[in-house]
Amino acid sequence: LALLPRAGGELRAFVVAHSHMDVGWVYTVQESMHAYAANVYTTVIEELMKGKQRKFIAVEQEFFRLWWDMVATDTQKQQVHQLLQEGRLEFVIGGQVMHDEAVTLIDDQILQLTEGHGFLYETFGFRPRFSWHVDPFGASATTPTLFALAGFNAHLISRIDYDLKAEMQKNKKLQFVWQGSPSLSERQEIFTHVMDQYSYCTPSQLPFSNRSGFFWNGFATFPDPPKDGVYPNMSLPVTDANLHLYAQTMVANIKERAAWFQTGEVLWPWGCDKQFFNASVQYSNMDLLIDYINKHSAEFGVTVQYATVSDYFQAVYSRNLTWEIRDSQDFLPYSTEPFQAWTGFYTSRSTLKGIARRASSLLYAGESFFTQYVWKHPEGSVCKYKALKQLQSLRWAVSEVQHHDGITGTESPKVKDMYLNNLMYGMLNVKKLMASIIFDINNAKKNGEVYSSVYTQGSGKPDVDLYVVVYNPLAWNITTFVTVSVSSEEMSVYDELGYSVPAQVQSSMESQATYDLYILVSISGLSYRKYSIKPMDGKQSAFIGSSIKYKRRDLTHAGQQSRQLFPVVNNCYQIVFDQNTNLMHSITERETNQTVQFTQEFLEYHVNGDTKKGPISDNYLFAPNASAVPVSKAVGLEVMSGSLVTEIRQYFYSNVTSQDYVYAVYTRLYSVPEGYDGKLLCHRIEQEYSVGPLELNREAVLRTSTDLNTKQLLYTDNNGYQMQKRPFKAYVNNTVARNYYPMVQTAYIEDDTTRLMLLAERAHGVSSQGNGQVEVMLHRRLWNNFQWNLNNNLTLNDSSVVRPVIWLVLGTKAVTNTLYRTSGLALEHRPVVMFGALSEDKPKLPRLLQQDSVHDLPVTVPPNLHLQTLSIPGWRYSSSHAEQLRSIRMGKQKQGDADFSRVLLRIRHLYEVGEDPVLSQPVMVDLQSLLKGLGSVMAVEERSLTGTWDVNTLERWKWKTAQYPGKRFFNSTETSEDFIVTVHPKEIRTFFVYFQVQ
């Protein structure tokens, strides 16, 4: 069919065959591969070869790669190459998964996209140009920017608020040009299509039959495909007798949808979840329908064709219409009905959310650690191929969990276990790799016992000298505390040169038998330091923190006495507690002497689990019965004070006589000795919470109330990339739940002078339910009798204890502006701590390390930039597109070793235009000097976000808008001369760097 519209204005329907394949959700990846996923690719490829007009789009690369590596025959592989060539098979998005948009971090979105794109380009020379984000629960404004940077021509979403979608549909405004980033604006805008109310599944109702239509292969069965090939719920086959009626049904739906769009092109998704496992019966029925409608197109006023997403957007683009611009407002939260606000998943399975982020952070550290090792120690003995495999196992696991039923917490328990097992396996691999690199660099004997941990599991053997190696994965100098568990109070800590290091030891909050040793570390960018911990030898020892326990207070009687206040102080803050209640009372920012009334309490929303009684909460939805209820009537308090760390431990009991607490808060203030740069450390009030196990159908929140006049305005981040303004909105129904937003890394409230920032190490739901208030949902435990949830084991009976950490930063807007980006990243990428015990036959520490270049030339960027990626991807593809296509044609890409010569570097500007007078300026970076510690930079190539395009050859469609009526292609940013790059606000710049081989 010609691509231009026919005369007479008839409608053109683009039938896009697809299978929505969740990478986990109800079934594990292995179960899905066995039951249906492998059959999708096997049968679709076979059927596409049989009919030249047939087409299909493939989305999630994790399933496709498993099929390609484990199932596909050489013939099938050849056929895939041919079908891609012919444009009949198209990869859309091209990431490992279809990532969630609400609770994922931008780094992890980029990782999973890069992982899939690298495979597609290396294997096929194919680069996706379109998105297909049909299922994430709400749409973030980061995503359009991400896809624009990856070279996409159009973006497609579906799940947005039901009432908003109805209005946009009625006014034909489902398509627009989205400028997702206020700072990048039209440079990285993208045409965006919102699917109509039918979304991505074919409407299956037939007016002439009580059987369904269009789903001719039926539904997949688990655990095994049926032996006889007969699946449940197979749709009514197309026959001569019903052909006309079938065609009428399809045409009526096409016409209904056409009325909602501005052009005569209708996108008609054909498929749904787990479809096309028997592609033969699908296509043979649809062929008959398409042929019939096209033979009678004059009568129907419609032509129909098989299509890819590219075919559809190409047709709309060629209309050359003028489109409206949407600014950087996102589509969160997402509601499907008056009582169905999908804001529960912002917190569901908090433990999984936390581990996914720790894994991401460990991967980030492991990548730069390995990259430096390869270039600084070319003679090193660690096997590079094995090391790359270890890193790849964690890349794969972190990519996988970004799926929209992964990190969201909306999966069944066995799938949650699959994600966790894959993450733990990958983390173990990377810890082993980092330990073996340390060994190799320090020429340690291989029998020395090193075990590594991102958290503190010290060996606790006082008779052996412990040493800790601490790696700072950020490209800034960092001064912070690391914590090690030790078995005795009397400890001394020394650096590599034998100098004493400031430290404090105090009884552990975890167990009676151990102590927490806080070590003050000061480490330059992408470098490590080695510290030895010895039992005290009479010389300088760690400060010992002293403990004061306060009487447990009964909150029900607290109002009657006069206030007894006591302060806890460091150089930046004075926190005042009220001894009558054992609760926080106020915080003073000492530089401006500004005091903010400040109280915190735990509350629970009680929710309904009985569908007969009203709306329910589940993994996805949050539907509170009423206002949140305070949980504790009594609070216990213990203050551990020392010269470096003051820790306030508050325990919340349901009443004065309860044995056990369900909630605890550990608040830490840090004091930094002279000679250390303690600005970030001093300005953070660190809080760690212990929440759980909860009772059933309770949702736990920490509510912080201040006297700031915030007018109930909240700010939360999109994916740790940009901030969104969240004014409180009143609704007829469900106002509490619809005012919850995801906090991935940052949220804040403010008045005219003062701002309170919250920084998080995992995603949470967050809301401002009153003036001067911000509440964070920390944990949920639910059960309901909704049959669909029961059938799929999606009831979230999560009896765990969760231990999230939030850093509070309080101050003027100017001060918090300079702190919050760097502080958020310092929380995300805390130093990696590895432990070892030195056995007796080694030279005793302290001794000089073999003066390793790690210390000589740190990698440092200015505080408004972030070194987002420094890794060795290992891809074998050529940087030249023509060269890459040639080598694929000649079959050279099938085998070959990983390429270690190419280093992937990404630099991100952390600030928006106009956000800060100094930090919002463009920054010039000399890449040669930045990376001189790794070697001599020979060549730099600027690439698209995922690395597959040379930016000089990347052209994206420019859609016409009233603002920019010319229709042209986008060309990218200016490229670097002499290795000097200017990075503008909010840019993410991606480079391939090549060093001189030593």
Side-chain angles (χ1 to χ4, degrees):
L1 280 163
L3 271 182
L4 289 171
R6 306 267 178 95
E10 67 184 16
L11 301 175
R12 295 171 63 206
F14 291 76
V15 176
V16 176
H18 76 100
S19 179
H20 182 69
M21 299 158 75
D22 285 300
V23 182
W25 175 36
V26 177
Y27 301 102
T28 65
V29 168
Q30 290 70 23
E31 287 174 321
S32 301
M33 280 299 287
H34 174 72
Y36 83 94
N39 289 337
V40 171
Y41 291 113
T42 301
T43 68
V44 163
I45 299 308
E46 186 183 339
E47 290 308 308
L48 291 182
M49 294 308 292
K50 288 181 187 169
K52 276 285 176 241
Q53 75 291 4
R54 296 172 172 180
K55 296 188 175 186
F56 189 80
I57 61 165
V59 188
E60 302 80 4
Q61 287 309 301
E62 177 157 336
F63 282 128
F64 181 80
R65 290 174 72 173
L66 289 169
W67 176 79
W68 184 260
D69 290 340
M70 326 270 236
V71 181
T73 63
D74 286 347
T75 308
Q76 286 165 334
K77 290 184 176 183
Q78 216 32 63
Q79 290 169 339
V80 170
H81 280 280
Q82 183 189 330
L83 292 165
L84 283 169
Q85 219 69 59
E86 294 172 5
R88 299 201 295 114
L89 174 67
E90 177 176 63
F91 291 110
V92 294
I93 312 178
Q96 287 290 93
V97 298
M98 186 185 295
H99 70 251
D100 167 68
E101 299 194 32
V103 298
T104 45
L105 200 57
I106 185 168
D107 309 59
D108 301 330
Q109 298 177 348
I110 293 171
L111 169 78
Q112 75 87 19
L113 213 54
T114 304
E115 184 65 24
H117 285 191
F119 162 77
L120 286 174
Y121 194 54
E122 182 170 275
T123 314
F124 306 112
F126 185 89
R127 301 178 285 200
R129 302 301 303 259
F130 301 96
S131 101
W132 182 256
H133 256 223
V134 299
D135 204 30
F137 321 134
S140 160
T142 306
T143 319
T145 304
L146 213 63
F147 287 155
L149 290 167
F152 286 17
N153 287 320
H155 176 36
L156 182 148
I157 61 178
S158 181
R159 290 184 181 267
I160 64 170
D161 261 343
Y162 69 101
D163 37 10
L164 179 61
K165 182 179 277 201
E167 183 193 334
M168 291 167 77
Q169 199 165 270
K170 192 175 82 205
N171 300 323
K172 299 194 180 191
K173 290 187 188 264
L174 290 168
Q175 295 171 316
F176 46 85
V177 169
W178 196 355
Q179 296 181 349
S181 161
S183 296
L184 301 174
S185 67
E186 78 281 351
R187 284 186 300 147
Q188 301 301 344
E189 68 187 17
I190 192 166
F191 181 79
T192 303
H193 171 104
V194 183
M195 285 184 151
D196 59 45
Q197 68 188 45
Y198 291 106
S199 194
Y200 65 88
C201 289
T202 316
S204 61
Q205 234 183 334
L206 298 177
F208 57 89
S209 168
N210 55 12
R211 284 181 69 181
S212 69
F214 305 102
F215 289 79
W216 294 289
N217 61 10
F219 294 160
T221 61
F222 288 81
D224 300 304
K227 298 260 186 293
D228 57 3
V230 178
Y231 285 84
N233 299 81
M234 290 171 80
S235 286
L236 182 71
V238 177
T239 62
D240 288 347
N242 66 23
L243 183 54
H244 185 71
L245 294 168
Y246 241 123
Q248 276 179 324
T249 304
M250 186 168 175
V251 166
N253 183 259
I254 289 164
K255 287 183 170 169
E256 181 188 6
R257 294 163 106 151
W260 300 327
F261 292 92
Q262 292 186 39
T263 76
E265 287 76 35
V266 177
L267 177 67
W268 208 78
W270 175 37
C272 195
D273 294 36
K274 310 180 188 66
Q275 284 295 304
F276 283 88
F277 46 82
N278 175 356
S280 156
V281 61
Q282 290 283 81
Y283 283 108
S284 58
N285 279 282
M286 187 57 95
D287 284 351
L288 298 170
L289 261 177
I290 288 181
D291 290 346
Y292 183 81
I293 294 172
N294 289 340
K295 279 200 186 78
H296 301 87
S297 62
E299 168 195 340
F300 285 126
V302 169
T303 59
V304 187
Q305 66 188 81
Y306 286 118
T308 60
V309 179
S310 168
D311 295 333
Y312 170 71
F313 281 123
Q314 182 76 58
V316 177
Y317 181 61
S318 62
R319 291 279 193 167
N320 203 12
L321 296 188
T322 299
W323 300 97
E324 279 185 19
I325 289 175
R326 180 183 175 86
D327 66 10
S328 57
Q329 188 58 49
D330 65 7
F331 291 96
L332 289 164
Y334 160 63
S335 289
T336 37
E337 278 174 32
F339 285 101
Q340 291 188 347
W342 296 48
T343 55
F345 80 88
Y346 302 159
T347 304
S348 296
R349 299 204 189 285
S350 179
T351 302
L352 174 64
K353 285 176 164 65
I355 289 175
R357 285 273 280 274
R358 293 271 57 75
S360 156
S361 169
L362 178 64
L363 176 61
Y364 174 75
E367 296 279 13
S368 64
F369 201 61
F370 175 63
T371 303
Q372 293 186 85
Y373 173 74
V374 167
W375 286 103
K376 291 178 180 179
H377 300 275
E379 303 301 305
S381 68
V382 172
C383 169
K384 290 189 300 194
Y385 297 100
K386 181 184 171 189
L388 189 61
K389 283 214 160 29
Q390 290 172 310
L391 287 166
Q392 281 165 339
S393 70
L394 190 52
R395 289 175 193 169
W396 184 282
V398 172
S399 295
E400 174 184 78
V401 79
Q402 306 311 316
H403 170 64
H404 57 267
D405 287 299
I407 194 166
T408 49
T410 55
E411 64 283 279
S412 64
K414 67 178 171 187
V415 174
K416 172 211 54 167
D417 293 340
M418 173 197 80
Y419 292 128
L420 285 174
N421 290 338
N422 293 346
L423 289 165
M424 298 307 235
Y425 173 72
M427 287 170 86
L428 184 63
N429 279 332
V430 170
K431 289 173 189 176
K432 283 181 184 160
L433 168 61
M434 292 180 80
S436 60
I437 288 174
I438 296 271
F439 257 139
D440 191 55
I441 293 174
N442 290 293
N443 300 327
K445 287 196 182 157
K446 290 292 178 272
N447 61 2
E449 174 200 348
V450 160
Y451 40 98
S452 102
S453 164
V454 180
Y455 284 118
T456 51
Q457 286 118 27
S459 84
K461 284 189 285 188
D463 52 315
V464 180
D465 288 356
L466 263 186
Y467 68 86
V468 284
V469 174
V470 184
Y471 177 62
N472 167 25
L474 289 165
W476 306 309
N477 297 345
I478 210 90
T479 300
T480 190
F481 283 96
V482 296
T483 319
V484 180
S485 253
V486 292
S487 55
S488 140
E489 263 188 323
E490 301 191 336
M491 288 285 168
S492 309
V493 182
Y494 300 95
D495 67 10
E496 305 90 340
L497 301 170
Y499 294 116
S500 177
V501 174
Q504 177 175 322
V505 69
Q506 60 194 40
S507 64
S508 162
M509 53 183 192
E510 285 299 301
S511 77
Q512 307 302 304
T514 60
Y515 296 87
D516 293 333
L517 174 65
Y518 288 84
I519 304 170
L520 183 65
V521 299
S522 187
I523 311 177
S524 44
L526 267 55
S527 305
Y528 70 85
R529 302 278 310 267
K530 195 164 172 179
Y531 302 91
S532 59
I533 302 170
K534 299 165 166 279
M536 204 176 84
D537 46 11
K539 289 206 294 289
Q540 169 81 44
S541 69
F543 299 109
I544 296 178
S546 59
S547 154
I548 303 174
K549 281 199 169 94
Y550 292 84
K551 203 171 136 218
R552 194 187 295 188
R553 293 296 179 180
D554 185 342
L555 298 182
T556 49
H557 303 309
Q560 295 138 17
Q561 307 109 314
S562 61
R563 286 233 152 92
Q564 287 183 288
L565 304 176
F566 71 90
V568 175
V569 186
N570 73 356
N571 287 338
C572 297
Y573 298 113
Q574 168 175 288
I575 305 181
V576 172
F577 285 83
D578 182 344
Q579 255 177 272
N580 289 338
T581 59
N582 287 341
L583 295 175
M584 212 181 276
H585 173 264
S586 66
I587 301 180
T588 304
E589 204 275 319
R590 294 183 61 188
E591 201 179 337
T592 56
N593 213 17
Q594 185 89 24
T595 298
V596 175
Q597 299 300 309
F598 196 98
T599 56
Q600 290 184 311
E601 60 176 338
F602 289 106
L603 302 101
E604 287 175 350
Y605 286 100
H606 292 207
V607 296
N608 167 42
D610 184 355
T611 49
K612 293 189 198 63
K613 289 188 180 152
I616 55 157
S617 270
D618 64 10
N619 297 47
Y620 309 87
L621 310 176
F622 171 40
N625 280 350
S627 301
V629 183
V631 288
S632 67
K633 294 202 173 61
V635 183
L637 179 71
E638 182 180 6
V639 178
M640 305 294 305
S641 47
S643 49
L644 300 175
V645 185
T646 302
E647 181 177 78
I648 301 104
R649 302 173 180 176
Q650 290 165 293
Y651 302 99
F652 293 77
Y653 299 88
S654 52
N655 61 55
V656 181
T657 55
S658 308
Q659 284 294 301
D660 297 319
Y661 59 89
V662 182
Y663 293 89
V665 185
Y666 307 94
T667 304
R668 300 182 194 102
L669 267 189
Y670 297 106
S671 300
V672 186
E674 287 294 305
Y676 285 88
D677 171 17
K679 193 174 132 191
L680 281 189
L681 193 52
C682 174
H683 276 99
R684 103 182 36 140
I685 299 171
E686 179 172 296
Q687 291 199 312
E688 183 177 344
Y689 312 100
S690 172
V691 181
L694 300 178
E695 290 175 42
L696 267 181
N697 290 325
R698 298 285 189 270
E699 319 220 7
V701 302
L702 174 79
R703 182 177 290 165
T704 300
S705 305
T706 70
D707 60 353
L708 298 177
N709 180 18
T710 62
K711 307 189 172 58
Q712 248 181 302
L713 179 59
L714 172 69
Y715 294 82
T716 69
D717 64 332
N718 270 167
N719 316 105
Y721 178 65
Q722 62 192 35
M723 299 304 295
Q724 292 276 349
K725 201 171 179 169
R726 311 293 194 188
F728 191 86
K729 296 180 185 143
Y731 296 95
V732 179
N733 297 309
N734 221 15
T735 292
V736 169
R738 285 187 85 171
N739 279 285
Y740 256 80
Y741 296 92
M743 162 173 71
V744 177
Q745 204 168 43
T746 313
Y748 65 85
I749 53 173
E750 63 184 14
D751 63 11
D752 297 338
T753 57
T754 308
R755 180 184 287 170
L756 169 66
M757 308 226 46
L758 283 67
L759 301 169
E761 39 75 80
R762 70 187 71 180
H764 301 278
V766 61
S767 186
S768 178
Q769 298 283 341
N771 191 21
Q773 279 186 2
V774 56
E775 64 180 55
V776 181
M777 191 181 289
L778 296 174
H779 200 13
R780 325 175 68 217
R781 183 179 183 187
L782 309 167
W783 190 86
N784 64 72
N785 59 5
F786 180 39
Q787 204 47 54
W788 183 85
N789 279 334
L790 293 175
N791 296 348
N792 294 308
N793 204 353
L794 297 173
T795 52
L796 202 67
N797 187 357
D798 180 350
S799 58
S800 64
V801 175
V802 297
R803 301 293 298 260
V805 171
I806 288 179
W807 289 358
L808 307 174
V809 180
L810 181 73
T812 61
K813 293 179 189 182
V815 167
T816 54
N817 244 350
T818 59
L819 294 172
Y820 84 98
R821 302 273 180 196
T822 36
S823 293
L825 284 157
L827 173 56
E828 189 65 37
H829 299 297
R830 287 168 286 188
V832 176
V833 180
M834 288 166 280
F835 301 96
L838 288 178
S839 51
E840 291 311 299
D841 56 343
K842 293 246 184 58
K844 277 268 183 266
L845 275 177
R847 64 178 169 90
L848 235 57
L849 280 171
Q850 275 71 28
Q851 249 326 9
D852 170 31
S853 56
V854 165
H855 302 282
D856 308 346
L857 296 169
V859 179
T860 312
V861 296
N864 52 353
L865 295 188
H866 171 44
L867 188 83
Q868 184 162 319
T869 309
L870 182 68
S871 73
I872 295 177
W875 305 309
R876 302 187 306 273
Y877 61 70
S878 167
S879 294
S880 145
H881 188 58
E883 181 59 42
Q884 173 62 4
L885 293 182
R886 198 160 41 245
S887 84
I888 286 170
R889 262 203 315 280
M890 295 167 68
K892 283 188 190 153
Q893 281 296 339
K894 287 203 178 100
Q895 67 292 316
D897 285 333
D899 175 6
F900 290 91
S901 68
R902 174 187 288 154
V903 170
L904 175 66
L905 168 73
R906 280 195 196 96
I907 296 176
R908 161 155 63 111
H909 197 301
L910 295 171
Y911 283 81
E912 299 281 0
V913 170
E915 187 180 352
D916 184 274
V918 179
L919 297 166
S920 290
Q921 298 302 318
V923 187
M924 282 175 74
V925 181
D926 180 340
L927 298 179
Q928 210 162 13
S929 125
L930 174 71
L931 299 171
K932 63 179 184 285
L934 277 76
S936 168
V937 174
M938 296 301 290
V940 172
E941 300 163 352
E942 181 156 7
R943 307 291 291 185
S944 61
L945 181 70
T946 59
T948 54
W949 291 87
D950 171 344
V951 289
N952 299 305
T953 63
L954 172 59
E955 290 191 333
R956 294 198 305 121
W957 294 349
K958 175 78 183 92
W959 299 71
K960 240 170 45 173
T961 58
Q963 192 182 347
Y964 298 96
K967 182 172 151 186
R968 58 184 201 283
F969 287 111
F970 276 113
N971 273 347
S972 49
T973 45
E974 81 282 6
T975 41
S976 43
E977 293 300 311
D978 304 328
F979 308 126
I980 291 178
V981 188
T982 301
V983 188
H984 293 273
K986 278 335 240 189
E987 283 187 339
I988 302 174
R989 304 283 287 277
T990 304
F991 305 93
F992 287 163
V993 181
Y994 303 89
F995 294 95
Q996 187 173 349
V997 178
Q998 299 168 32

